[in-house]
Amino acid sequence: MIEFRNLHKGFNQKPVLAGFTLDVRDGETMVVLGYSGSGKSVALKHVVGLLEPDAGEVVVDGEVVHQLDRARLMALRARIGYVFQFAALLDSMTVRENIGLGLARQGLAETDTDDRVREALALVDLAGSDDRYPSELSGGMRKRVGIARAIALRPRYILYDEPTTGLDPVTAAVIDRLIVRARERTGVTGVVVTHDIRSAYTVGDRIAMLYRGTIRQVGTVEQIQKTHDPVVRQFIEGRPEGAADAETAFAGIVT
Amino acid sequence: MLELVTARARGGLVAVGRVGHFLTDVSRGLRDTPTWTRLTLVQMRRIGAESVPIALFIAAFTGVVLALQASYTFTGAVPMYFVGTLVGKTIMLELGPVLTGLALAGRVGANIAAELGTMRVTEQVDALETLAYDPIAYLAVPRVVAATVMFPIVVALAMVMGVTSGWLTAVNLLDLSTVEFVRGLKLFYQFKDIWFGLVKSLSFGLLIALIGCIKGLSVSRGAESVGRATTDAVVLSAMMILVLDAFWAVVLL
Ligand SMILES: Nc1ncnc2c1ncn2[C@@H]1O[C@H](COP(=O)(O)OP(=O)(O)OP(=O)(O)O)[C@@H](O)[C@H]1O
Ligand SMILES: [Mg+2]
């Protein structure tokens, strides 16, 4: 279980998260929707301790992330797969080495590593790309390698930062199916950050909307689809004018 | 004015504090041997072996110039075999380590800062962390260890090259025999000349790699920031090499 408890985080006096509270239950896929720049990536980074909260806390499996010592933090990170928004592949390494990196860290034998790498690549429809370098791949392919790198670890949690943004509709649908399949097969708990509303409906068990630093609404896909909240309605219908001021949302919170 | 001075002084202290803090991180990273040993071999080649040509190039020309300038200076009053003395002493004590150090501050320091800085802005460092690696052990330790080990080796080769080219110059361009040159070379020679030079180069290697790693890993955003970190790393390393050089002269000579 991942619990965001009253999380506050700002950069250069500008608040980004202000009282962000959300529970992600074991086995579910939680989608976090929000405008560009609303702090979705910032929230995710707190789960693995890449950022420290100004106030509040993130609790994973009962442990407060920013209070863990190094060894425990490492153990926690080994249980979490993180799919970066821009893939963040190590560009001096081949696809195989990228995926094997985390496995090697967890002490997997070489032959098992090879199997896992192959399996993960097949899952993202990239079988045979083992020896290519990230610079030789398209943006969408890199993203899929990023997903493979997380899945290969067979983690308890996977955090997807905009897994389908910037992909063509078909590839996006493939990724969506992949996320659903990963959950069905391994029972992994997922957090999917996105502003792709179609993807949200496909992969989400529940959907939460981040707006102005807090969760505006959280509910099942159905509840969100039928919502009367004007801000959420505007977002899911993609209307340019309405209750939500997209501009302030974009710039974070203007104080 | 006074404010400026205290601000500078504070800035200097903060910098020293950061290097110290980073050193403790590195020594913690050192305990994680499985992570860094294999990577260190790669860095030894990149930092050490690939730096040999430039180091030899500099040393060769320095040897020529030293020999010619010595003979020019010694006209009449001082016996000519002192050319050997001057070439040997200067190369081993000072120019071998310092010129090589300055050149490698550019080559190695810039390379480390730019590479780590780019990895930082493209979130590759964050990715390593989420894969449960310690970026210090994975990225900094191999570079620091490799530079510290390889610098003395590169400088030792440069010393040999510098003295050799000084000798060849003396024999071919000056009217000096090999016997005389060697006599001069041996005249005030102490074993300390060599290890003093090598200890210095070891400290330069450590310093250049540390500064490169600190500057690279502290990049925060964008290409501009990577560029600034690279320049900073080179300038700071070059300055610190000269300071450290003076420090060793005071402490060890
Ligand atoms: N390291 C940082 N330093 C300073 N400001 C930051 C940093 N990281 C994020 N921010 C700011 O925090 C705000 C939220 O950023 P974040 O990347 O979380 O947005 P997002 O919701 O993921 O947007 P997108 O959908 O475009 O990825 C932005 O205004 C951004 O400028
Ligand atoms: Mg983002």
Side-chain angles (χ1 to χ4, degrees):
Chain A
M1 181 141 156
I2 302 174
E3 301 153 79
F4 298 87
R5 292 185 187 156
N6 198 20
L7 198 59
H8 286 74
K9 180 72 179 178
F11 296 99
N12 314 316
Q13 331 296 344
K14 200 193 77 185
V16 173
L17 297 178
F20 182 92
T21 300
L22 182 68
D23 287 353
V24 182
R25 300 176 197 141
D26 282 336
E28 78 172 342
T29 299
M30 169 68 82
V31 173
V32 179
L33 289 175
Y35 287 95
S36 221
S38 58
K40 303 184 297 293
S41 300
V42 168
L44 270 197
K45 285 182 180 165
H46 281 86
V47 178
V48 286
L50 288 177
L51 289 174
E52 291 210 352
D54 296 338
E57 59 200 21
V58 179
V59 181
V60 181
D61 295 338
E63 296 180 314
V64 178
V65 176
H66 71 271
Q67 290 171 356
L68 294 176
D69 58 28
R70 285 202 73 79
R72 287 172 153 250
L73 182 62
M74 291 296 174
L76 174 73
R77 284 172 174 170
R79 275 179 277 143
I80 301 178
Y82 196 111
V83 179
F84 283 84
Q85 185 167 358
F86 304 105
L89 304 178
L90 279 90
D91 50 24
S92 60
M93 293 184 169
T94 62
V95 166
R96 182 212 319 267
E97 288 165 338
N98 262 287
I99 300 176
L101 198 60
L103 298 170
R105 178 66 178 172
Q106 302 192 2
L108 213 68
E110 199 119 339
T111 47
D112 297 341
T113 303
D114 284 349
D115 289 345
R116 287 261 203 116
V117 171
R118 218 169 309 119
E119 181 190 301
L121 278 177
L123 223 65
V124 295
D125 287 331
L126 280 176
S129 306
D130 314 37
D131 292 323
R132 297 171 78 178
Y133 283 88
S135 59
E136 303 166 355
L137 303 176
S138 76
M141 289 161 91
R142 269 179 236 166
K143 222 158 200 176
R144 277 140 70 195
V145 175
I147 293 176
R149 182 169 70 182
I151 288 180
L153 299 168
R154 301 202 178 141
R156 232 180 111 125
Y157 302 97
I158 301 191
L159 314 178
Y160 302 90
D161 196 346
E162 311 216 359
T164 57
T165 311
L167 301 181
D168 65 80
V170 176
T171 312
V174 169
I175 298 288
D176 285 344
R177 205 178 54 201
L178 192 76
I179 296 173
V180 173
R181 227 193 281 159
R183 203 206 63 168
E184 281 169 358
R185 282 228 223 127
T186 61
V188 66
T189 306
V191 181
V192 181
V193 152
T194 188
H195 36 58
D196 179 348
I197 193 76
R198 220 174 59 171
S199 163
Y201 291 157
T202 314
V203 303
D205 295 310
R206 290 196 299 154
I207 297 178
M209 169 136 182
L210 170 59
Y211 183 70
R212 297 198 176 186
T214 58
I215 291 296
R216 177 82 182 199
Q217 190 183 6
V218 55
T220 62
V221 173
E222 220 159 275
Q223 285 168 340
I224 292 293
Q225 280 169 334
K226 290 188 191 142
T227 182
H228 296 297
D229 184 313
V231 170
V232 181
R233 274 240 77 81
Q234 187 194 352
F235 188 89
I236 60 181
E237 288 170 6
R239 280 184 285 110
E241 69 288 306
D245 185 344
E247 218 132 295
T248 43
F250 180 73
I253 306 149
V254 179
T255 43
Chain B
M1 188 60 207
L2 188 69
E3 276 168 32
L4 196 72
V5 172
T6 47
R8 279 283 158 79
R10 186 166 327 122
L13 280 180
V14 168
V16 170
R18 253 172 72 190
V19 173
H21 187 77
F22 196 77
L23 258 177
T24 49
D25 283 351
V26 167
S27 40
R28 187 197 62 219
L30 271 171
R31 268 178 268 146
D32 189 359
T33 39
T35 300
W36 60 264
T37 35
R38 198 179 45 82
L39 295 165
T40 302
L41 293 178
V42 178
Q43 292 303 327
M44 280 177 152
R45 182 167 52 72
R46 281 181 51 189
I47 292 175
E50 289 176 14
S51 294
V52 170
I54 177 78
L56 294 186
F57 182 85
I58 293 171
F61 282 88
T62 312
V64 172
V65 172
L66 280 178
L68 292 176
Q69 288 183 347
S71 95
Y72 165 79
T73 309
F74 295 161
T75 36
V78 184
M80 276 305 271
Y81 62 81
F82 269 97
V83 168
T85 319
L86 189 124
V87 168
K89 283 278 179 186
T90 320
I91 290 275
M92 287 182 230
L93 289 177
E94 180 67 12
L95 291 187
V98 172
L99 283 186
T100 310
L102 290 174
L104 296 201
R107 210 194 91 84
V108 174
N111 182 294
I112 293 177
E115 186 178 7
L116 299 194
T118 307
M119 290 184 75
R120 173 61 90 188
V121 294
T122 53
E123 296 189 317
Q124 294 179 52
V125 178
D126 287 345
L128 277 173
E129 291 207 49
T130 61
L131 294 169
Y133 283 93
D134 171 9
I136 302 286
Y138 193 91
L139 297 172
V141 171
R143 286 166 174 80
V144 170
V145 171
T148 311
V149 173
M150 294 308 283
F151 264 50
I153 297 174
V154 174
V155 170
L157 295 173
M159 287 177 180
V160 173
M161 176 56 113
V163 172
T164 309
S165 86
W167 161 64
L168 288 174
T169 309
V171 172
N172 291 307
L173 298 182
L174 309 169
D175 286 331
L176 209 67
S177 68
T178 300
V179 177
E180 281 178 298
F181 183 86
V182 172
R183 179 171 163 212
L185 197 58
K186 284 181 171 168
L187 193 59
F188 296 114
Y189 170 79
Q190 307 170 45
F191 181 56
K192 185 176 175 183
D193 295 355
I194 290 186
W195 70 249
F196 176 72
L198 295 183
V199 166
K200 281 212 292 203
S201 22
L202 184 144
S203 70
F204 296 164
L206 176 66
L207 189 85
I208 289 171
L210 276 181
I211 291 177
C213 290
I214 293 174
K215 288 289 171 189
L217 289 176
S218 61
V219 163
S220 53
R221 59 191 133 216
E224 189 202 337
S225 175
V226 175
R228 187 138 15 106
T230 309
T231 318
D232 285 357
V234 174
V235 172
L236 191 61
S237 311
M239 277 165 42
M240 290 307 294
I241 282 176
L242 299 176
V243 172
L244 206 56
D245 190 39
F247 169 82
W248 287 126
V250 171
V251 172
L252 283 182
L253 287 187

